[in-house]
Amino acid sequence: MRNSLAKFLTIVTALLVVMLIEVFAVSVKAAFDHRHEAQRIMSIVTVKRDMLICEEAMRVEGALLDTALEENDAAPPGTVDQIVRLHARSQDAFAQIRQHQANQFANGYDEILKHNADYDRLLPAILDAATKIRADRPKGLVEARIAAANLVLAALGRKSDSLSRTVSSTDPLIGEMLRVADLGWRARADAGSDRHAIMAAILAKRVPAPQALQDMAEMKGRVVTSWSLISADSRLPEFPPEMKAAVARANWLYFTDFMSLRAMTIDALSQDKPLAIGGRDWVRLSDPGLNSIMAISGTALDLTASYAERQLDIARRNFYISIASMMLCIALASFCAIYVIWRVIRPLRAITGAIRAISGGTFKGEIPFGDRADEIGQFARALRMFRDGALERMQLERALVESRVAQESAETSNRVKSEFLANMSHELRTPLNAIIGFSEIMQHQIHGNLPGRYVEYVALINEAGVHLLNLVSDILDLAKIEAGKFELDPREVDLRETVDGCVKLTQRRAEEKGIALVKNLPEGHLTFTADPRSCKQILLNLLSNAVKFTRNGGRVEVAASVQGGHMRISVSDNGIGIPADRLACIGDAFEQSSNDPMLAREGSGLGLALVKALVCQHGGKFRIDSQENSGTCVTVDLPLVQPHRAAA
Ligand code: ADP
């Protein structure tokens, strides 16, 4: 049992530790995943922004190049320089993309880089052609540039879309921003194509073919379609304010300002009216509008990046908090386990060991940890109390058994003694009666005179015989009572008569000592129901004691009165009294006070024991009051009526 509890506690604690570690490991894993995802989004958004910069740079560069190649005149050196700068910018952006090849979250740019390399190889020839007049330029160069640029832009678009698809489902805001960025991207691409077509028409200086007009209308339609989706989203309350501002700006710059310029230009072109602006002006005037559409994507990607950055910060913080919490929990759980083992299991084991030793018989063994103030201490103290109680009970039981054995053996020996005495007393009486009888005959010299000395001897023999007979009678009576064989013979007793008879019997001895023997009885009848012989014996024993233990010239008084349902008889004297330390045992058989050894030798120590036993047989009470050298008063209360007599 001891082992199983300890094991149980240990296993439960260990399980708790494991569970806690598991719970925290899950939360650490989740935090790690969030961090990883935020890092991935950050990377993807960075790549997309770089790709957007590439596209924008290529489109601006392309617009200028195409204008220069479509014009009849050679491009001025300023324009060529501008184109070179723009190309350098776009190539920087592509260099950034090249660096992302090693990015674990967003890689695979081979197609884009390959098409860009092709385009880059083509550029010196294009720039060279732009510095010449139209007639000297090689044919098909514009188409070749547009085809090469479109391959790059298409590859960028595909990659951008595929990157968006990998993150769109993770977070609603990120998904929405990427969608808007892609829509802006598409609108910008269509707007760019539209601008290019109109620019070509402006430079051609003739009425565009119906097919060309239709293409322009379609391109505008595509821009408007993409834009309507962005506008619809921008009306949602959760749409970020920065985006709302960007949308409002594009609405104004492109869809209001530029659209009116476009409408006027197409109108003039289709009606063959002279145009107020040239191809380069057209590109310059359209730049703010197109850039404002591009800014939609840029702003969306900026917002996505800053949002992802915040998410990354939170995820990073959660990750470290989770790790710290896990460590703390492991430490706490380990502390708990050690605490439980050290402060609970160990004391329980020690206490159980002590209890086992106690139950094995080592009652004095100490129960440890009783000085602790906690529950273990209370438990140890309770067990200690229990042990003490059990010990006390055991001692009491042992004492009880011993006293019972002693009592039983005492009762047995008492009974054996009483039976023995009863038999022996009877056997002694017969020869004693013969001794007394024959000694009396010899005393009275009935059969002739005895020599002087013999008369004295015979008197001594008679006296000794009488004393012995009295002793034997007392022993016999006492033994009979103790053996339960003494039976009362209750009759009406005239106490006055009994007192007179007993006083007469002790008178002679009192007179010898000059003791005044006084009777103090009330007037009238003094009768009650009792065993007459017992009453006489009680009174005689008390009177003879009083006379015996009173000095010459003393006083002995016998009194009687009815007290309630009792007859109270008292014999008092002003004799030698009984020492206080002996008083308690006076009245037990063979007990004598030792204050006068001469007097004690006269008695046997049975007189009062017999009185007590007889009073007890009557259902009465016995009391002795005495003071050394002052006197003694023995009081006896006998019931006026004996129960079985009254019933009869
Ligand atoms: P005993 O035969 O010795 O008188 P009792 O049983 O009558 O035996 O009395 C026991 C003892 O009690 C006596 O030995 C005596 O010491 C004491 N005793 C009894 N009655 C008196 C008394 N009236 N005055 C003084 N001592 C008494």
Side-chain angles (χ1 to χ4, degrees):
M1 189 61 201
R2 181 198 72 175
N3 279 341
S4 64
L5 179 64
K7 266 184 202 158
F8 176 73
L9 277 174
T10 315
I11 289 168
V12 165
T13 318
L15 273 176
L16 277 175
V17 172
V18 171
M19 272 166 66
L20 276 172
I21 291 173
E22 206 173 293
V23 166
F24 278 101
V26 168
S27 84
V28 166
K29 171 82 171 56
F32 179 80
D33 288 348
H34 280 146
R35 196 181 70 153
H36 190 263
E37 180 62 11
Q39 277 173 339
R40 194 172 73 87
I41 291 168
M42 281 286 294
S43 296
I44 288 171
V45 170
T46 310
V47 173
K48 275 181 75 91
R49 282 178 69 184
D50 286 340
M51 287 165 77
L52 193 70
I53 291 167
C54 287
E55 165 144 350
E56 190 189 12
M58 275 200 74
R59 284 193 183 278
V60 176
E61 175 193 329
L64 277 176
L65 267 175
D66 289 346
T67 315
L69 291 175
E70 296 286 354
E71 276 181 340
N72 292 328
D73 300 334
T79 306
V80 175
D81 284 351
Q82 197 183 356
I83 292 168
V84 169
R85 272 201 311 279
L86 282 170
H87 184 68
R89 204 185 118 199
S90 76
Q91 289 313 302
D92 281 350
F94 278 108
Q96 288 291 324
I97 287 182
R98 199 171 295 116
Q99 283 183 2
H100 292 307
Q101 276 290 38
N103 190 326
Q104 56 165 319
F105 300 115
N107 45 29
Y109 308 104
D110 294 341
E111 190 190 8
I112 296 168
L113 295 173
K114 179 187 162 296
H115 290 311
N116 178 52
D118 293 345
Y119 178 78
D120 193 38
R121 266 195 303 278
L122 208 60
L123 201 76
I126 296 170
L127 280 175
D128 184 50
T131 55
K132 293 175 182 162
I133 58 165
R134 188 173 184 136
D136 295 344
R137 290 174 197 150
K139 295 278 176 260
L141 207 57
V142 174
E143 289 74 18
R145 191 207 76 77
I146 290 174
N150 279 349
L151 281 174
V152 179
L153 292 171
L156 281 170
R158 277 198 299 277
K159 186 67 189 172
S160 175
D161 281 353
S162 91
L163 286 176
S164 293
R165 277 196 297 278
T166 60
V167 289
S168 57
S169 60
T170 54
D171 185 284
L173 184 81
I174 287 174
E176 172 67 11
M177 287 302 104
L178 289 180
R179 190 177 98 91
V180 170
D182 289 342
L183 282 171
W185 188 307
R186 204 170 303 145
R188 170 65 182 81
D190 292 332
S193 305
D194 177 55
R195 175 172 78 168
H196 187 268
I198 295 171
M199 188 264 297
I202 292 170
L203 291 176
K205 290 187 175 146
R206 59 168 187 271
V207 177
Q211 182 57 46
L213 286 173
Q214 195 180 330
D215 288 348
M216 285 175 206
E218 269 176 19
M219 278 184 280
K220 182 191 166 192
R222 283 211 292 274
V223 174
V224 170
T225 305
S226 300
W227 190 249
S228 66
L229 292 172
I230 294 172
S231 296
D233 284 2
S234 75
R235 282 191 285 278
L236 295 172
E238 62 272 17
F239 207 67
E242 296 94 325
M243 287 301 299
K244 284 189 176 171
V247 169
R249 192 174 149 75
N251 263 331
W252 177 251
L253 290 175
Y254 187 85
F255 291 95
T256 309
D257 272 7
F258 173 74
M259 276 301 173
S260 64
L261 176 69
R262 181 183 181 280
M264 272 176 2
T265 308
I266 291 182
D267 206 30
L269 282 171
S270 56
Q271 290 174 27
D272 202 15
K273 287 184 194 163
L275 280 171
I277 53 168
R280 209 161 290 149
D281 299 328
W282 164 251
V283 170
R284 182 172 49 77
L285 289 172
S286 64
D287 266 352
L290 267 72
N291 288 346
S292 71
I293 294 181
M294 200 61 158
I296 295 289
S297 298
T299 310
L301 288 175
D302 283 349
L303 281 174
T304 312
S306 63
Y307 180 74
E309 205 163 347
R310 278 203 305 280
Q311 296 290 86
L312 181 62
D313 276 350
I314 293 169
R316 205 174 279 150
R317 205 171 52 239
N318 287 348
F319 177 68
Y320 291 127
I321 289 174
S322 295
I323 286 200
S325 306
M326 188 170 87
M327 293 301 192
L328 197 75
C329 250
I330 291 171
L332 210 69
S334 308
F335 172 76
C336 276
I338 292 168
Y339 188 86
V340 165
I341 290 168
W342 190 252
R343 296 280 295 170
V344 180
I345 294 175
R346 186 182 65 96
L348 280 181
R349 279 186 174 169
I351 290 171
T352 316
I355 292 289
R356 195 169 288 162
I358 285 169
S359 65
T362 321
F363 268 95
K364 292 281 168 240
E366 195 47 45
I367 295 175
F369 300 101
D371 52 340
R372 264 171 56 171
D374 56 9
E375 285 79 359
I376 292 286
Q378 288 170 8
F379 179 56
R381 285 194 292 281
L383 283 175
R384 201 179 285 171
M385 276 164 60
F386 177 75
R387 191 262 326 257
D388 293 348
L391 189 62
E392 212 168 290
R393 214 167 33 248
M394 230 178 73
Q395 282 167 349
L396 278 175
E397 276 169 8
R398 198 177 292 161
L400 198 68
V401 168
E402 278 168 7
S403 84
R404 240 182 235 158
V405 169
Q407 191 186 347
E408 274 170 18
S409 67
E411 279 171 2
T412 311
S413 66
N414 208 24
R415 202 172 54 248
V416 170
K417 180 196 78 182
S418 300
E419 281 169 5
F420 169 77
L421 286 175
N423 292 336
M424 284 309 289
S425 301
H426 184 74
E427 294 302 317
L428 284 170
R429 262 186 175 171
T430 316
L432 270 178
N433 278 328
I435 290 168
I436 292 166
F438 287 123
S439 63
E440 265 177 12
I441 291 170
M442 287 170 81
Q443 247 182 322
H444 292 119
Q445 300 182 34
I446 293 168
H447 299 293
N449 289 340
L450 289 172
R453 271 269 166 101
Y454 285 121
V455 175
E456 194 186 329
Y457 292 162
V458 165
L460 285 172
I461 291 169
N462 184 262
E463 197 181 324
V466 170
H467 180 77
L468 200 57
L469 186 62
N470 284 339
L471 184 66
V472 168
S473 295
D474 283 355
I475 289 174
L476 182 64
D477 288 348
L478 207 57
K480 256 187 170 176
I481 291 171
E482 281 181 4
K485 290 178 181 166
F486 183 88
E487 285 200 6
L488 291 178
D489 180 19
R491 293 158 194 274
E492 196 168 78
V493 175
D494 184 345
L495 191 63
R496 199 180 298 278
E497 233 175 60
T498 312
V499 169
D500 285 347
C502 292
V503 165
K504 245 181 229 158
L505 284 173
T506 44
Q507 190 73 46
R508 196 174 59 86
R509 178 98 168 97
E511 278 168 6
E512 278 171 13
K513 293 178 79 178
I515 293 170
L517 200 51
V518 182
K519 288 184 277 180
N520 184 3
L521 303 176
E523 293 294 318
H525 282 291
L526 207 57
T527 52
F528 70 114
T529 310
D531 179 46
R533 204 183 133 255
S534 299
C535 285
K536 202 174 171 188
Q537 178 112 46
I538 290 168
L539 214 50
L540 255 182
N541 284 7
L542 295 182
L543 277 170
S544 64
N545 270 353
V547 171
K548 187 164 51 174
F549 296 108
T550 300
R551 293 185 193 93
N552 292 356
R555 182 177 187 278
V556 171
E557 180 183 319
V558 56
S561 61
V562 176
Q563 300 278 334
H566 289 88
M567 178 64 75
R568 173 162 291 177
I569 305 163
S570 67
V571 177
S572 53
D573 61 67
N574 55 359
I576 60 172
I578 303 167
D581 60 322
R582 302 287 308 144
L583 196 58
C585 23
I586 293 299
D588 291 347
F590 303 108
E591 285 292 342
Q592 291 180 303
S593 148
S594 60
N595 56 353
D596 190 340
M598 284 298 287
L599 288 175
R601 210 172 299 142
E602 277 186 32
S604 57
L606 286 173
L608 284 183
L610 197 57
V611 169
K612 253 173 108 174
L614 288 172
V615 169
C616 188
Q617 285 293 104
H618 278 83
K621 284 179 194 153
F622 171 90
R623 177 188 161 104
I624 179 162
D625 298 292
S626 182
Q627 211 170 357
E628 200 172 4
N629 297 322
S630 288
T632 305
C633 175
V634 181
T635 310
V636 164
D637 283 344
L638 295 173
L640 292 179
V641 181
Q642 286 302 304
H644 59 281
R645 177 81 181 177

